[in-house]
């Protein structure tokens, strides 16, 4: 596609519910990143994929967070047993290659609200 | 770990004037990349300009330019001839040139809200 597509755009979940957030990167982009952006803050790195391989998951805040990219294109970020502190915008970004100095192309994010 | 600090939560400028947004960072690395991103209400982060640490020359993209002071670990963004469409959150970001061990992602500052007065 022409850009990075994320769905849903908004998600309201009851505390304890599981959620799945989808990211469809730009076709052919090897690298894919997930970020969490709390209200009034800058995005924080969660995890990184190179094709289907998850090379870095050091930013995942707990074992309730899980990400996958089984075929090296679409990625899903899953949060189990959601808590109020999980409320944030979840941003996905992709890039053609890594490493490199190119900035990434970001999607418009999914705003998750846990009530 | 690297940190990025943006000390101006909000800045206001008259349309057509020039404004400078500040950013400092802390790192022990010698090779890295620095970025400025714009985030409008649509939430999509849009790359404004980037700088490679090993390059002495300051990057320029049309009305946007940076003042990169490597020794001072400073990376400010200057916007000339401000336009109403420039209004947004601006984030400074750092990325290591190394791979792995948590270095793969961007480290962002907390952002500066830029207001353009007509």
């Amino acid at each position: 596609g022409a850009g990075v597509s994320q769905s849903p755009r908004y998600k309201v979940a009851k505390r304890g519910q599981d959620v799945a957030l989808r990211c469809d990167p730009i076709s052919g982009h090897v690298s894919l990143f997930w970020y969490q952006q709390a209200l009034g803050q800058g995005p924080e790195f969660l995890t990184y994929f190179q094709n289907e391989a998850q090379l870095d998951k050091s930013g995942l805040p707990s074992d309730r967070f899980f990400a996958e990219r089984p075929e090296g294109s679409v990625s899903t970020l899953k949060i189990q047993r959601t808590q109020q502190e999980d409320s944030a915008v979840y941003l996905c970004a992709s890039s053609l290659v890594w490493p490199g100095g190119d900035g990434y192309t970001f999607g418009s994010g999914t705003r998750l609200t846990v009530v | 770990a690297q940190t990025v600090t943006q000390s101006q939560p909000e800045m206001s400028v008259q349309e057509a004037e020039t404004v400078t947004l500040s950013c400092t960072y802390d790192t022990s690395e010698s090779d890295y990349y620095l970025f400025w991103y714009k985030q409008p209400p649509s939430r999509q982060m849009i790359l404004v300009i980037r700088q490679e640490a090993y390059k002495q020359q300051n990057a320029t993209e049309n009305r946007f330019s940076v003042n990169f002071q490597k020794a001072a670990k400073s990376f400010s963004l200057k916007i000339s001839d401000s336009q109403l469409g420039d209004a947004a959150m601006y984030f400074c970001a750092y990325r290591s040139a190394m791979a792995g061990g948590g270095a793969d992602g961007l480290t962002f500052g907390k952002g500066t809200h830029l207001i353009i007065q007509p």
Side-chain angles (χ1 to χ4, degrees):
Chain A
V4 177
S5 178
Q6 291 189 246
S7 61
R9 187 155 172 79
Y10 300 91
K11 175 69 179 178
V12 179
K14 291 185 178 179
R15 198 182 332 174
Q17 188 178 356
D18 296 350
V19 299
L21 313 180
R22 176 187 169 105
C23 173
D24 202 338
I26 292 174
S27 178
H29 275 200
V30 168
S31 298
L32 185 144
F33 302 80
W34 283 99
Y35 289 83
Q36 180 191 58
Q37 186 176 19
L39 188 63
Q41 302 294 316
E44 292 191 356
F45 170 76
L46 293 177
T47 187
Y48 160 59
F49 289 86
Q50 191 172 89
N51 294 310
E52 69 279 2
Q54 188 175 22
L55 298 187
D56 187 346
K57 54 182 181 179
S58 61
L60 295 176
S62 77
D63 59 8
R64 296 186 296 103
F65 287 71
F66 173 76
E68 61 183 5
R69 194 186 184 197
E71 296 178 0
S73 55
V74 171
S75 177
T76 303
L77 177 66
K78 297 178 180 179
I79 309 173
Q80 296 177 323
R81 305 181 303 282
T82 52
Q83 305 293 316
Q84 281 196 317
E85 62 263 27
D86 300 335
S87 295
V89 173
Y90 290 85
L91 294 167
C92 177
S94 69
S95 68
L96 189 56
V97 294
W98 201 103
D102 294 335
Y104 315 136
T105 303
F106 281 82
S108 295
T110 294
R111 182 182 296 280
L112 173 64
T113 304
V114 181
V115 298
Chain B
Q2 294 79 24
T3 59
V4 176
T5 301
Q6 293 179 250
S7 58
Q8 306 153 316
E10 187 172 280
M11 291 284 284
S12 182
V13 64
Q14 290 288 130
E15 194 176 2
E17 297 294 308
T18 294
V19 63
T20 298
L21 307 185
S22 300
C23 172
T24 59
Y25 57 95
D26 188 23
T27 184
S28 59
E29 298 175 337
S30 60
D31 197 13
Y32 48 86
Y33 303 94
L34 295 166
F35 306 86
W36 277 99
Y37 280 89
K38 171 185 177 181
Q39 188 178 42
S42 67
R43 301 199 302 251
Q44 185 180 18
M45 303 286 278
I46 300 165
L47 178 64
V48 174
I49 198 165
R50 65 181 179 93
Q51 175 81 39
E52 296 166 35
Y54 63 85
K55 288 188 176 178
Q56 301 273 7
Q57 189 171 5
N58 288 324
T60 299
E61 289 285 343
N62 300 313
R63 298 183 294 108
F64 299 87
S65 61
V66 297
N67 183 5
F68 173 48
Q69 302 288 329
K70 190 172 184 179
K73 297 180 182 173
S74 171
F75 183 61
S76 61
L77 174 70
K78 185 172 85 171
I79 306 174
S80 304
D81 185 25
S82 297
Q83 300 176 1
L84 294 177
D86 295 334
M89 286 292 295
Y90 284 81
F91 291 93
C92 178
Y94 170 104
R95 208 202 76 208
S96 173
M98 293 168 42
D104 297 296
L106 294 165
T107 300
F108 286 88
K110 290 190 174 183
T112 297
H113 182 210
L114 179 63
I115 298 167
I116 311 294
Q117 305 277 7

